[in-house]
Amino acid sequence: MRTRVTEMFGIELPIFAFSHCRDVVAAVSRAGGMGVLGALYFTPEELEMELKWIDDHVDGRPYGVDVVMPASYEGADFAPEELVGRLQGMIPDGHRAFVETLLEQHGVPPLSAAAEAGKVLLGWTDATARPQVEVALRHPIALLANALGPPPADVVELAHRHGVKVAALASTPRHAIKQAEVGVDVVVAQGTEAGGHTGEISTMVLIPQVVDAVDVPVLAAGGIGNGRQMAAGLALGAEGVWTGSLWLTVEEADTPAMAKTRILAATSRDTVRSRSWTGKPARLLKNAWTDAWEAADSPGTLPMPLQFMLVSDALRRIGRSEAAELATFPAGQIIGITNRVRPVSDVVFELVEEYVEASERLDGITRS
Amino acid sequence: MRTRVTEMFGIELPIFAFSHCRDVVAAVSRAGGMGVLGALYFTPEELEMELKWIDDHVDGRPYGVDVVMPASYEGADFAPEELVGRLQGMIPDGHRAFVETLLEQHGVPPLSAAAEAGKVLLGWTDATARPQVEVALRHPIALLANALGPPPADVVELAHRHGVKVAALASTPRHAIKQAEVGVDVVVAQGTEAGGHTGEISTMVLIPQVVDAVDVPVLAAGGIGNGRQMAAGLALGAEGVWTGSLWLTVEEADTPAMAKTRILAATSRDTVRSRSWTGKPARLLKNAWTDAWEAADSPGTLPMPLQFMLVSDALRRIGRSEAAELATFPAGQIIGITNRVRPVSDVVFELVEEYVEASERLDGITRS
């Protein structure tokens, strides 16, 4: 297949796969697409190890790294060394009590070792994401993507000096225009049906508007889980597709077994756009956790990055407990169509095969 | 163009256009698609006049009628002659006071003639929609569509006895299966981005699931405003598209000038899914009215059909006032791309032209 993005990156297929799992990233790149590793959950040292592993398993194919550098967040003016302490001080006691009570109600035990607790900030801020960027640029990555709006102009420049292309996720045409202005090479236009941080406009409505608003190539994100959806994304004017939830249930994914089972069984109505994970609206698997934050006794969510600082230990405790009903993670509406476990190579093959079928069908409709 | 629905109805283009305006309905059918008149706002006598006009202006081309027969609503067990009175008694005084205060705050005067008030129920119930069906079946209609779930089985049979095909709107695969079971001939799978009553699943995610779930042909609805979106809908497996908001701003539309102006200026973020119109979630133009029902002092909305009974006079008063900020009507997210007034024939021509371009582009991507 040939589009502006296959040309830009020297890849065979305009399929971008976001995943926190290095095995998935390497497998998609080896299959002719472009794997993109989500760096968020890794310390700089951990990220270094993950990228080293990918370098050793990607057969020289291009891959990318995705960081989270939000354009705005609480504490953006604090000095890095006092950032965590000052942000911790901004979390109300009532919110901490609400979380603790919720965990108690569901029988979630505390973490066994104190050392496990406190990994509270991750890459949610400029200060914590920059070291990840520095690590990433020491590896032969082809793409640096930013998941929350336009990356800082100096980061774009830095990436370009390393010969690395830059992408950013946009949920409105206005966002896309701003991103093009700071020099991104690719805009990922993401509809509301996507997992993770997402806006209100659907992929069907958003993509043509973004394609018409910017000159750089656009990837369609949100709702892309099979080849018909890939064909639809490209029919809307995108040069490729950006996929995420699709890879949570592949053979190679290190998704916890409990989560995999729930995703395989879920329908497209089992997700919800909620601030209960990070403080900004993100589409998550709908469950007792997301319900609790909407209930009458909820104290309401806190702004980014305070909400994640508030809940990060709780989410880790839930992950190690039997309280499957509280296990919370980003998931797009396409989890309604992922209902069996397949290897990455099969998923990629079927995307292309079904794309070709859809394309031939469209053609036949006007020829007959 | 040729699909299962063009064959079924003997039309040239698989483009269905929902409109409350008879001029639009006739113009779309004359242009080779299928106009579908929304009967909701008409008494049986008014509907008779509208359909007579269409019969005289449609040049023998097929057209359809859309009614609202909700599968469930408050008062479904009441006898028709006491329905309105008993439902009126179920509306709390606090809700009436909230509406009156809101109108006063925005300087909306009362209706000048008492006779204008009280057209409160319309076709929101089985009892009020059936006379509309009877009127419709006295005309040479080709399609009877139901906007809120599966139509009653006897209505499907009645239509079939008249040689009229039946369609129903579905927002989940499960709805679609139920509709196929009662014998509908066409399922309109409608994504959350659509105007009017709508579910949570996006068009991109919904269409392939509905296509895989039922044997009858599927129309893609929600987010279809240009030819790229039409191509995307058909790439997803639909046999045609069902459009609505697209026709609010055409030359032929009798949309009030104030509303037309606001739609032309709106972005795709200026709609909201709200219960403030009918009691069931419907996507509306976001404004001071929808905001008021979400505000801290809102009494909350009432179930269908009580909410519309509560607000119908208010909406009529607003429509005759200068309070444009309260004017409330269904609108899909594609109002962000409708930004100029064109005749129906131009819109239809551009849908087809852009469809062909998108189809050729998809084909070129795999050939090169």
Side-chain angles (χ1 to χ4, degrees):
Chain A
M1 297 178 73
R2 191 165 172 175
T3 73
R4 287 169 70 193
V5 295
T6 61
E7 297 287 292
M8 182 182 283
F9 294 105
I11 53 181
E12 291 161 33
L13 305 171
I15 299 169
F16 292 69
F18 172 89
S19 176
H20 291 291
C21 172
R22 64 192 187 184
D23 299 80
V24 172
V25 170
V28 172
S29 286
R30 285 199 310 269
M34 166 97 78
V36 182
L37 185 75
L40 180 68
Y41 294 126
F42 302 120
T43 64
E45 297 71 29
E46 289 165 347
L47 183 59
E48 172 62 34
M49 287 176 54
E50 301 296 303
L51 299 185
K52 175 76 171 59
W53 187 94
I54 294 174
D55 292 341
D56 292 344
H57 292 81
V58 80
D59 295 355
R61 303 292 187 104
Y63 72 94
V65 170
D66 179 283
V67 296
V68 184
M69 303 183 97
S72 66
Y73 56 93
E74 292 293 316
D77 298 332
F78 298 161
E81 60 277 10
E82 59 174 21
L83 182 62
V84 172
R86 290 190 62 178
L87 289 171
Q88 290 282 21
M90 294 169 72
I91 299 176
D93 290 342
H95 281 73
R96 295 190 191 277
F98 174 79
V99 172
E100 199 54 43
T101 303
L102 180 61
L103 297 195
E104 279 167 22
Q105 284 166 347
H106 288 266
V108 177
L111 291 177
S112 51
E116 290 185 310
K119 192 176 164 184
V120 293
L121 199 53
L122 301 175
W124 292 123
T125 67
D126 193 87
T128 49
R130 276 177 191 263
Q132 295 177 335
V133 171
E134 287 163 20
V135 169
L137 291 177
R138 288 201 294 267
H139 291 263
I141 64 170
L143 175 69
L144 181 70
N146 187 33
L148 273 176
D154 67 303
V155 171
V156 177
E157 275 175 40
L158 184 66
H160 285 167
R161 278 205 304 276
H162 282 77
V164 172
K165 301 291 185 190
V166 179
L169 268 70
S171 56
T172 68
R174 206 166 56 88
H175 286 168
I177 290 166
K178 276 191 190 176
Q179 292 167 2
E181 282 170 1
V182 301
V184 307
D185 305 285
V186 175
V187 168
V188 182
Q190 179 173 275
T192 187
E193 54 267 71
H197 293 107
T198 184
E200 295 168 17
I201 308 173
S202 80
T203 298
M204 184 70 89
V205 175
L206 179 66
I207 306 297
Q209 294 186 57
V210 172
V211 167
D212 291 346
V214 298
D215 291 327
V216 296
V218 173
L219 302 180
I224 314 292
N226 63 31
R228 281 172 283 178
Q229 289 159 334
M230 178 169 158
L234 271 65
L236 293 170
E239 302 284 336
V241 291
W242 176 274
T243 53
S245 307
L246 178 56
W247 310 103
L248 292 171
T249 48
V250 293
E251 260 179 37
E252 291 88 340
D254 62 359
T255 312
M258 196 167 72
K260 237 179 200 176
T261 304
R262 303 197 67 206
I263 297 166
L264 292 169
T267 77
S268 290
R269 294 191 69 199
D270 294 329
T271 73
V272 62
R273 200 161 158 267
S274 165
R275 293 178 185 267
S276 64
W277 179 44
T278 69
K280 290 197 195 256
R283 188 171 296 282
L284 310 174
L285 187 76
K286 180 171 158 57
N287 63 6
W289 173 270
T290 56
D291 289 348
W293 288 94
E294 298 294 325
D297 66 341
S298 163
T301 55
L302 299 173
M304 174 172 285
L306 300 179
Q307 180 71 13
F308 188 79
M309 295 179 73
L310 169 65
V311 306
S312 62
D313 281 352
L315 295 179
R316 204 140 355 106
R317 283 168 60 185
I318 292 163
R320 302 194 175 182
S321 77
E322 305 290 311
E325 73 278 13
L326 286 179
T328 300
F329 46 87
Q333 290 186 339
I334 65 122
I335 62 171
I337 64 170
T338 53
N339 45 30
R340 58 200 171 101
V341 175
R342 292 173 296 166
V344 163
S345 56
D346 282 15
V347 175
V348 171
F349 181 80
E350 283 180 33
L351 281 169
V352 175
E353 188 180 46
E354 205 182 9
Y355 171 94
V356 172
E357 283 169 14
S359 171
E360 287 172 353
R361 178 168 177 270
L362 286 200
D363 192 44
I365 286 170
T366 40
R367 277 182 202 282
S368 57
Chain B
M1 299 179 72
R2 190 163 171 177
T3 73
R4 288 168 69 193
V5 295
T6 61
E7 296 289 292
M8 181 182 283
F9 294 104
I11 52 180
E12 291 162 33
L13 304 171
I15 300 169
F16 292 68
F18 172 89
S19 175
H20 292 291
C21 172
R22 64 191 188 185
D23 299 79
V24 172
V25 169
V28 171
S29 286
R30 286 198 311 268
M34 166 97 79
V36 182
L37 185 75
L40 180 67
Y41 294 125
F42 302 120
T43 64
E45 296 71 28
E46 289 165 347
L47 183 61
E48 172 62 34
M49 287 175 55
E50 300 296 303
L51 298 185
K52 175 77 171 58
W53 187 94
I54 294 175
D55 293 340
D56 292 343
H57 291 81
V58 79
D59 293 354
R61 303 293 187 104
Y63 72 95
V65 170
D66 179 283
V67 296
V68 184
M69 303 184 97
S72 67
Y73 56 93
E74 293 292 318
D77 299 332
F78 298 161
E81 60 277 12
E82 58 177 21
L83 183 62
V84 172
R86 289 191 61 178
L87 289 172
Q88 291 281 19
M90 295 169 72
I91 299 176
D93 290 342
H95 281 74
R96 296 190 190 278
F98 174 78
V99 171
E100 199 54 43
T101 304
L102 181 61
L103 298 195
E104 279 168 19
Q105 284 165 349
H106 288 266
V108 177
L111 291 176
S112 50
E116 289 185 310
K119 193 177 164 183
V120 294
L121 199 53
L122 300 176
W124 291 122
T125 67
D126 193 85
T128 48
R130 274 176 192 265
Q132 295 177 335
V133 171
E134 286 163 20
V135 169
L137 290 176
R138 287 201 294 268
H139 291 262
I141 64 170
L143 175 70
L144 180 70
N146 187 32
L148 273 178
D154 67 301
V155 172
V156 176
E157 275 174 41
L158 184 66
H160 284 168
R161 277 206 302 279
H162 282 77
V164 172
K165 302 290 184 188
V166 179
L169 268 70
S171 57
T172 69
R174 205 165 57 87
H175 287 169
I177 290 167
K178 276 192 190 173
Q179 292 167 3
E181 282 169 2
V182 301
V184 307
D185 305 285
V186 175
V187 168
V188 182
Q190 177 172 277
T192 188
E193 53 267 71
H197 292 106
T198 182
E200 296 169 14
I201 307 174
S202 80
T203 299
M204 182 71 89
V205 174
L206 180 65
I207 305 298
Q209 294 185 59
V210 172
V211 168
D212 292 346
V214 298
D215 290 329
V216 297
V218 174
L219 302 180
I224 313 292
N226 64 32
R228 282 173 284 177
Q229 290 159 336
M230 177 170 159
L234 271 66
L236 293 170
E239 302 285 335
V241 293
W242 176 275
T243 53
S245 307
L246 178 55
W247 311 104
L248 293 170
T249 47
V250 292
E251 260 179 38
E252 290 88 342
D254 61 0
T255 312
M258 196 167 70
K260 238 179 198 176
T261 304
R262 303 198 66 208
I263 297 166
L264 293 169
T267 77
S268 290
R269 294 192 68 199
D270 294 330
T271 73
V272 64
R273 201 162 157 266
S274 165
R275 293 178 184 270
S276 64
W277 179 44
T278 69
K280 291 197 194 257
R283 189 171 297 282
L284 309 174
L285 187 76
K286 181 172 157 53
N287 63 7
W289 173 269
T290 58
D291 289 349
W293 288 94
E294 298 295 324
D297 66 341
S298 163
T301 56
L302 299 173
M304 177 174 280
L306 301 178
Q307 180 70 15
F308 188 79
M309 295 179 72
L310 170 65
V311 306
S312 62
D313 281 352
L315 295 179
R316 202 137 1 105
R317 283 168 61 184
I318 292 163
R320 302 191 177 185
S321 78
E322 304 290 312
E325 72 280 11
L326 286 180
T328 298
F329 47 86
Q333 289 188 341
I334 66 125
I335 61 171
I337 64 171
T338 51
N339 46 30
R340 60 204 170 96
V341 174
R342 292 173 294 167
V344 164
S345 56
D346 282 15
V347 174
V348 171
F349 180 80
E350 284 181 34
L351 281 169
V352 176
E353 187 180 48
E354 204 182 9
Y355 171 93
V356 172
E357 283 170 12
S359 171
E360 287 172 353
R361 178 167 176 269
L362 287 199
D363 192 45
I365 285 170
T366 42
R367 279 182 201 280
S368 57

